[in-house]
Amino acid sequence: MPAWLDGAACLPTSDGNEKGERRVKAAAFDYVRASSVADAWALLARHGAGAKLLAGGQSLLPALNLRLSAPDILIDISRIEALRGVTVSPHSVRIGALTRHADLLASPEIAAHAPLLCRAVAEVAHPAIRSRGTIGGSLANADPAAELPACTLALDARLHVEGPGGARVIASRDFFTGLFETALHPNEILVAIEIDRQPASVCGFAELARRSGDYAIVGLAAHGAIAAGVWTELRLGYFSVGTRATLATHAAGVLTGGGTLLEAAAALEHDLQPHDDLQASSATRQHLARVLLRRVVAEMESAA
Amino acid sequence: MSLSPADLPNSYIGRSVPRPHLARLTQGRGLYVSDLSLPRMVHVAFVRSPYAHAEITRIDAQAARAMPGVVRIVTGEELAAFCTPWVGVLAHLKGLKSAPQHPMAIGRVRWQGEPVIAVLAASRAQAEDAAERIEIDFSELPPVVDVMAALDPARPVIHAELGDNLAFERRLEAGEVDAAFARSDAIVEKTFTFARHTGVTLEARSIVADWNAGEQRLTVHLGSQAPHMMQNIIALHLGLAEPQVRILCQDVGGSFGIKVHVYADDMAVAALARMLARPVKYVGDRLESFVADIHARDHVVHAKIGVSNDGVIQAFEIDDLTGIGPYSVYPRTSAVEANQVVNLVGGPYACPNYRARTRVVFQNKAVMSQYRGVGHPIATSVTEGLVDLAARRIGMDPVQIRRRNLVADNAYPCASASGLKFEALSHHASLDKLLAMMDYPALRAEQAALRARGIHRGIGFASFIEITNPGPAFYGVGGARISAQDGAAVRLDSTGAVICQTSITEQGQGSGAIIAQVVATAMGVAIENVRVILGDTDNTPYGGGTWASRGAGIGGEAAWQAGRALRDNVLKLAGTILQAVPETLDIVAGAVVDADGGTERMRLSELARIAYFRPDTLPPDFQSELMATRHYVPRQYPFAFTNGIQASYLEVDTDTGFVRLLRHWVVEDCGTIINPQLVDEQIRGGVVQGLGAALFEHCQYDDQGQMINANMADYLVPMAGEMPDIDVAHVVSPTLESALGAKGAGEAGTAGAAACVSNAVNDALAPFGVEITEIPLVPELILRALGRA
């Protein structure tokens, strides 16, 4: 169930009938625009569980129109300018949560310091969706088939969140807790993604999608470092292989331990428990994950 | 070569004239049914069955009635008083049976998506809100889902009164089939599987029906291909006289055959408008379109070919089984596709020995009926798949086996084993042209070089024939009131402008442009001065509409004849005014000229001025007739046939099962080409729909009859990113039956595209000994065949 639609189909429909007719008009909802992060907290506190945050809206609005989700109110955070943009500091790159996919794709800073994101964002949907979708929205939505959660795993990113109780930093490996579920508390807002600058690193990315812009059947975002022909560091972030983006630590460990690609591919079975869906069985996904590992790692090794 | 009147110096025939409607449509000034808003109009949302097969045990609409904006909530039983049921059978499809179908289910539902209740409200959103409050209790019945299961006596019978689930069966035997197989050196026997898919039009089906009690007339704005057919049917089932119904088909956003059928929800809207005496609007949404529009294909064909070692095809044999949902679709039926499969298998080849059977069965899925290419993709995939596999068995190149067996270009007129009559086809000339276009030897060399590096590319061919320009043999002889002929009325206005009313319709393919070109040429006026009116039963001649690739060949010919008749009338008038013999005059660029020398004698505007405003200056016994009407239907042949050949070059990733289309070539022969650009784009669009079937499109059902991918995220339509360049070329063999010689080009692309992709995939996978005879060719299917999934 990698596509947002299938994931969302797990939610009860508004009439409680699991075979209910899906429709293309949203149920009535209220709308309010938040002027600041603090304003958004206040609105979240006021409206409770019936509220949803609206960022780029590229997953939320289709879900509303299909009546797969029927919140009472949308709190629009998309005009909070403080949450947008890329900042480079001596040791890290900080990406505001409302930075749009198209901005990432056009950013020379991202190209220089986090090229994996450029590779991945180019595969996210279509230009119209990239013009509105945001990195924070994608991460907070935690779609298991989305590219960006897997990228943050591969990049070992730190996710900055702020709530009325204060700010905290969540490691990407602790952020994605389940199908469309994250470690965010109900009143917290993801404000930025921070990635360490890793000058001597190499990245790789590949996904197998039936059509350009479709959710992948399986995808891999990889990041690491090679010294004297040996992997000193490697993180393999898989997506569309189960309920959430997943780090393949066993396979990566085989390679950093000096093992062969074939051994690493075999170790994937300890890392991934892929799902079955209309596109591919779990076994086919395992097979395709192995194919991607061989291809991506070989590409990274030849680039290093 | 002799010149025809179409070869006039000021001819638009054969020129890529821009379509007159293009600016209007691209500037957003089209008028689609969904744009319409009438005073007192209400919107309908249908509550559709969530089950494939169930009894309706209770309906509670109490809460829904209290919802804001709700005007009326109507059940199938209530609506039955306003609309009689219909049965989708045709007399010439002997034995075809179906059950009476109502606009909305009464008592029992038979497919997921069948309309059950209509909710009418002031807005669509309010109707949908109210629809969510309706409670219906269903008692589920075991569904018939798989075609193979439909004839199993242990499975339920969907319509008890019909006795079984077999809707139609046809057998055909030609030549000496058993003897031919006995003398064959190689026999290939395979089962070909074709998934169910649908036609996804940009504009969903839409209707506004408006009952005017004062006039006692129903005006229906409908996205349809066949307005006069719909006029007849709506009148018949609503208990009205035909003149009481007017059908208007303004801009229509794509059809592909989807919009040529009678749909339960459309009939419901017409009946609701009568019931409420208010305009009622229904615009299908994309999700319900997947279960409310017709589906197509869904065939399993067990097929066999016998070939001798010299490459001569000895015999074909097929046994086709196809599932059509719970009803045969009205009025064209759901047996025509299967009938076409029987007619068309082996069609391009000179092989007299052919045995066929088809069985058409009921099942609890969405209804199936005619979609672009009707039966052709099935027949072509089976025939061409068998021919390629036969060539492989005897070690012959796929081009050589075709060269040996395609009907010779000088063998016409002739008939196929199934009895199809061919006037003039060009299989060999088309093959020659195709091979030159694709540089076949170079491609084979590239394939071999890449194969050595583990890159697996394949080349596939598909010759095909296509039925076009059907006369009454399609529907009329079976009792359906679907006009086989079309008409055109052409008139000269007072300024010299020309107006043509035609009975064919336009759904985006450019049929209006074709008519304008034909009329401008026939009359000798600039195309800018020709306006085409279509899609209105009040204001066009009676005719069939646009389907079965008949717009140019039948409607175009009627327009040509009408244009020539008006030209003759104009020259008679000019002769009177100029005191010249009409035969010595011509019309060029909007002016009457001397036929010999071309000296301008008078502008048409001046001629029209005299005719309309100063007839007193004409001789007292002369009456000008500046409007001419002609109708046309082919008489010598029951259908025209076009032919062609397609080729695909593609790469199979044997690790992932992904197929990448690299190039696609088409050579086709549609007779006279009126507008090369429109023809080429028809071919390309048709190819893309065929490629969709080959690789992507599939209405997937679970074992309870639930369509599980009924949305645009999970139902994959072909998109530009995956499409190859499609090179199109032509051989031109005009039909001699008409002055224009056009045979139709709407479906040729779809006929052969999937077949050559399948053959190319099998060619790529030849080193693995893999032969796949199933579409769509999804990655998992290919991986499974390779033993990798």
Side-chain angles (χ1 to χ4, degrees):
Chain A
M1 65 200 91
W4 54 268
L5 198 68
D6 294 327
C10 301
L11 307 168
T13 57
S14 51
D15 63 357
N17 175 1
E18 62 178 23
K19 282 184 170 175
E21 270 297 301
R22 288 171 175 167
R23 305 214 164 258
V24 292
K25 306 285 189 298
F29 58 84
D30 283 333
Y31 168 93
V32 61
R33 181 182 291 160
S35 57
S36 66
V37 174
D39 187 25
W41 294 332
L43 289 164
L44 277 172
R46 190 183 314 152
H47 296 288
K52 270 204 180 281
L53 293 180
L54 172 66
Q58 298 304 294
S59 297
L60 179 59
L61 294 188
L64 294 187
N65 286 340
L66 292 164
R67 299 200 176 192
L68 296 168
S69 172
D72 299 323
I73 184 165
L74 295 186
I75 301 170
D76 183 356
I77 58 169
S78 66
R79 301 286 180 92
I80 305 176
E81 285 303 317
L83 299 189
R84 173 165 305 152
V86 176
T87 323
V88 180
S89 59
H91 298 292
S92 70
V93 183
R94 186 182 161 106
I95 304 165
L98 289 177
T99 307
R100 300 189 193 276
H101 303 319
D103 298 334
L104 291 178
L105 207 51
S107 162
E109 292 86 0
I110 296 296
H113 304 298
L116 176 61
L117 289 180
C118 288
R119 295 270 304 267
V121 166
E123 306 294 329
V124 173
H126 304 282
I129 291 172
R130 295 199 290 264
S131 295
R132 296 210 58 91
T134 66
I135 184 169
S138 174
L139 298 179
N141 191 45
D143 189 322
E147 289 85 353
L148 293 176
C151 290
T152 61
L153 293 177
L155 293 166
D156 203 17
R158 292 182 294 281
L159 279 63
H160 292 257
V161 308
E162 292 177 7
R168 60 183 181 126
V169 179
I170 307 173
S172 56
R173 62 184 170 277
D174 299 325
F175 187 77
F176 306 102
T177 55
L179 182 67
F180 296 99
E181 283 175 6
T182 69
L184 278 171
H185 295 145
N187 282 3
E188 282 181 327
I189 296 173
L190 174 62
V191 296
I193 296 89
E194 188 181 7
I195 299 160
D196 284 338
R197 290 171 58 177
Q198 301 159 64
S201 65
V202 56
C203 72
F205 183 90
E207 65 172 45
L208 294 167
R210 293 299 312 285
R211 302 174 304 180
S212 166
D214 280 358
Y215 281 104
I217 299 177
V218 179
L220 170 58
H223 194 263
I226 297 178
V230 181
W231 284 103
T232 57
E233 198 186 343
L234 180 63
R235 281 179 304 276
L236 304 167
Y238 275 95
F239 53 99
S240 214
V241 286
T243 56
R244 57 193 166 119
T246 305
L247 269 182
T249 52
H250 290 92
V254 168
L255 290 169
T256 52
T260 66
L261 248 180
L262 218 58
E263 290 164 338
L268 274 179
E269 67 171 309
H270 304 297
D271 290 315
L272 309 177
Q273 287 87 45
H275 60 285
D276 289 305
D277 69 8
L278 297 177
Q279 298 265 17
S281 68
S282 175
T284 297
R285 281 201 160 76
Q286 276 287 6
H287 164 79
L288 295 174
R290 291 193 293 271
V291 171
L292 287 189
L293 183 76
R294 292 199 301 270
R295 290 183 178 179
V296 169
V297 171
E299 178 213 321
M300 292 165 81
E301 287 175 345
S302 63
Chain B
M1 188 181 127
S2 67
L3 291 176
S4 79
D7 295 312
L8 288 168
N10 54 342
S11 173
Y12 289 97
I13 308 297
R15 283 172 55 189
S16 294
V17 178
R19 301 152 63 175
H21 295 160
L22 218 48
R24 183 170 62 79
L25 295 177
T26 51
Q27 289 172 17
R29 298 303 305 267
L31 184 63
Y32 297 88
V33 173
S34 52
D35 295 319
L36 266 183
S37 186
L38 300 178
R40 300 176 62 252
M41 188 171 83
V42 293
H43 297 258
V44 62
F46 290 101
V47 178
R48 295 177 181 276
S49 170
Y51 296 104
H53 200 190
E55 297 282 355
I56 302 168
T57 55
R58 185 183 70 96
I59 295 173
D60 182 353
Q62 192 104 26
R65 273 193 196 97
M67 292 288 286
V70 170
V71 172
R72 189 82 73 92
I73 291 170
V74 181
T75 65
E77 267 137 344
E78 289 162 348
L79 198 63
F82 292 83
C83 182
T84 58
W86 55 86
V87 182
V89 296
L90 286 167
H92 67 306
L93 296 172
K94 288 193 178 52
L96 172 61
K97 63 192 184 197
S98 189
Q101 185 181 3
H102 289 272
M104 298 199 295
I106 297 175
R108 181 182 284 208
V109 291
R110 291 181 174 86
W111 88 88
Q112 177 221 5
E114 184 170 2
V116 178
I117 290 179
V119 179
L120 297 116
S123 75
R124 174 65 176 256
Q126 287 175 321
E128 293 192 6
D129 283 343
E132 286 197 342
R133 300 299 180 93
I134 288 176
E135 289 176 32
I136 308 174
D137 290 345
F138 292 96
S139 170
E140 281 189 78
L141 298 167
V144 177
V145 181
D146 192 68
V147 286
M148 309 293 263
L151 298 176
D152 179 347
R155 303 299 302 173
V157 174
I158 294 173
H159 303 285
E161 68 272 29
L162 299 181
D164 58 26
N165 291 326
L166 181 65
F168 179 65
E169 178 167 1
R170 180 186 167 198
R171 291 167 187 268
L172 185 146
E173 176 107 20
E176 300 288 332
V177 179
D178 292 327
F181 277 118
R183 67 173 174 263
S184 297
D185 294 313
I187 290 173
V188 182
E189 207 167 344
K190 287 277 180 187
T191 298
F192 293 80
T193 305
F194 301 86
R196 205 172 234 262
H197 61 89
T198 185
V200 180
T201 54
L202 268 181
E203 182 204 21
R205 287 191 297 108
S206 313
I207 177 171
V208 172
D210 179 12
W211 172 252
N212 184 321
E215 277 191 320
Q216 291 288 299
R217 264 196 118 199
L218 184 73
T219 301
V220 182
H221 306 263
L222 182 66
S224 171
Q225 302 171 232
H228 283 106
M229 180 194 93
M230 290 307 300
Q231 178 190 35
N232 166 254
I233 283 167
I234 289 175
L236 181 66
H237 293 283
L238 264 58
L240 301 170
E242 255 183 61
Q244 284 180 283
V245 177
R246 177 186 184 189
I247 308 287
L248 274 159
C249 308
Q250 298 293 300
D251 291 315
V252 181
S255 53
F256 318 123
I258 296 294
K259 296 177 183 172
V260 79
H261 306 289
V262 170
Y263 286 94
D265 44 27
D266 286 343
M267 292 302 282
V269 170
L272 287 165
R274 184 89 202 282
M275 183 181 188
L276 272 71
R278 288 178 73 161
V280 178
K281 179 173 190 171
Y282 166 70
V283 178
D285 76 35
R286 187 43 69 195
L287 294 177
E288 64 186 336
S289 293
F290 278 108
V291 291
D293 290 357
I294 59 141
H295 291 176
R297 322 306 183 213
D298 203 357
H299 289 251
V300 178
V301 188
H302 190 74
K304 195 167 136 182
I305 188 173
V307 64
S308 47
N309 280 332
D310 59 2
V312 174
I313 297 169
Q314 300 295 331
F316 287 101
E317 180 172 354
I318 63 156
D319 188 2
D320 172 39
L321 182 61
T322 179
I324 58 165
Y327 297 99
S328 172
V329 172
Y330 188 60
R332 290 162 194 259
T333 85
S334 301
V336 168
E337 172 151 293
N339 202 48
Q340 298 279 56
V341 172
V342 169
N343 286 338
L344 291 166
V345 163
Y349 298 103
C351 171
N353 308 307
Y354 176 42
R355 177 183 294 141
R357 174 173 76 154
T358 186
R359 284 171 299 166
V360 175
V361 299
F362 296 116
Q363 52 183 177
N364 295 111
K365 290 182 178 178
V367 292
M368 190 280 274
S369 195
Q370 283 85 292
Y371 164 68
R372 197 174 196 173
V374 194
H376 293 69
I378 311 295
T380 306
S381 288
V382 168
T383 304
E384 295 301 282
L386 288 174
V387 167
D388 261 29
L389 294 175
R392 188 184 284 195
R393 294 289 186 280
I394 59 170
M396 185 174 269
D397 186 274
V399 169
Q400 203 186 336
I401 195 168
R402 286 178 174 78
R403 181 81 73 204
R404 180 144 302 174
N405 292 283
L406 287 167
V407 176
D409 288 357
N410 60 5
Y412 302 94
C414 65
S416 74
S418 64
L420 303 175
K421 294 183 175 65
F422 304 130
E423 180 188 2
L425 302 179
S426 57
H427 288 298
H428 290 268
S430 298
L431 174 60
D432 290 342
K433 201 160 192 170
L434 183 89
L435 294 174
M437 273 168 86
M438 62 194 286
D439 196 353
Y440 185 54
L443 272 191
R444 283 287 180 210
E446 181 177 275
Q447 178 188 38
L450 289 172
R451 197 167 266 172
R453 292 167 38 201
I455 294 170
H456 298 283
R457 292 191 173 180
I459 303 166
F461 295 92
S463 286
F464 62 91
I465 53 173
E466 188 209 341
I467 294 177
T468 62
N469 296 358
F474 247 31
Y475 298 113
V477 299
R481 294 174 70 91
I482 301 170
S483 173
Q485 62 86 62
D486 272 288
V490 181
R491 81 168 191 253
L492 188 75
D493 261 6
S494 65
T495 60
V498 173
I499 291 177
C500 176
Q501 292 150 286
T502 172
S503 60
I504 67 162
T505 53
E506 159 95 49
Q507 297 92 37
Q509 66 276 73
S511 42
I514 294 291
I515 295 297
Q517 283 178 259
V518 167
V519 169
T521 304
M523 276 293 294
V525 300
I527 194 166
E528 296 76 17
N529 290 329
V530 178
R531 204 159 71 80
V532 176
I533 293 171
L534 37 68
D536 180 354
T537 54
D538 267 8
N539 286 306
T540 65
Y542 199 92
T546 299
W547 40 271
S549 301
R550 65 195 297 286
I554 297 178
E557 181 68 13
W560 173 261
Q561 299 297 349
R564 293 303 283 181
L566 177 57
R567 175 187 172 276
D568 290 347
N569 290 355
V570 165
L571 291 182
K572 210 178 290 172
L573 171 61
T576 302
I577 296 170
L578 299 169
Q579 299 190 358
V581 179
E583 287 71 32
T584 65
L585 301 171
D586 194 5
I587 306 172
V588 174
V592 177
V593 302
D594 284 332
D596 184 13
T599 306
E600 182 173 316
R601 301 293 300 276
M602 70 188 306
R603 303 292 305 167
L604 287 185
S605 52
E606 173 61 9
L607 174 134
R609 184 191 67 79
I610 294 168
Y612 287 119
F613 307 119
R614 295 303 306 276
D616 55 307
T617 64
L618 297 173
D621 59 345
F622 184 86
Q623 173 60 51
S624 58
E625 289 295 346
L626 296 185
M627 183 160 184
T629 302
R630 290 291 183 273
H631 293 81
Y632 177 73
V633 65
R635 306 297 276 279
Q636 295 171 33
Y637 288 89
F639 320 101
F641 277 90
T642 74
N643 70 280
I645 184 166
Q646 303 191 18
S648 169
Y649 188 47
L650 53 76
E651 186 173 311
V652 181
D653 183 332
T654 54
D655 285 332
T656 65
F658 275 59
V659 173
R660 189 156 65 96
L661 302 170
L662 301 171
R663 198 79 181 252
H664 200 99
W665 298 268
V666 183
V667 177
E668 66 81 57
D669 184 346
C670 64
T672 302
I673 296 169
I674 296 168
N675 186 318
Q677 184 182 27
L678 288 179
V679 168
D680 286 2
E681 294 315 316
Q682 278 297 305
I683 299 295
R684 288 196 179 93
V687 165
V688 168
Q689 281 183 312
L691 296 176
L695 297 180
F696 297 110
E697 297 189 59
H698 187 184
C699 296
Q700 291 178 273
Y701 276 85
D702 69 12
D703 58 8
Q704 292 304 302
Q706 295 281 320
M707 186 173 166
I708 51 181
N709 66 332
N711 62 73
M712 292 298 282
D714 296 320
Y715 181 95
L716 307 183
V717 296
M719 291 176 70
E722 285 60 55
M723 292 299 104
D725 281 350
I726 302 165
D727 297 299
V728 183
H730 307 276
V731 173
V732 177
S733 311
T735 172
L736 300 180
E737 210 177 333
S738 68
L740 271 179
K743 296 198 287 196
E747 299 164 283
T750 311
C756 62
V757 166
S758 291
N759 284 348
V761 166
N762 283 332
D763 185 50
L765 298 180
F768 301 88
V770 164
E771 293 169 354
I772 305 174
T773 51
E774 179 176 346
I775 57 170
L777 288 151
V778 298
E780 198 154 50
L781 174 68
I782 291 173
L783 286 175
R784 232 177 10 243
L786 289 165
R788 293 177 186 184

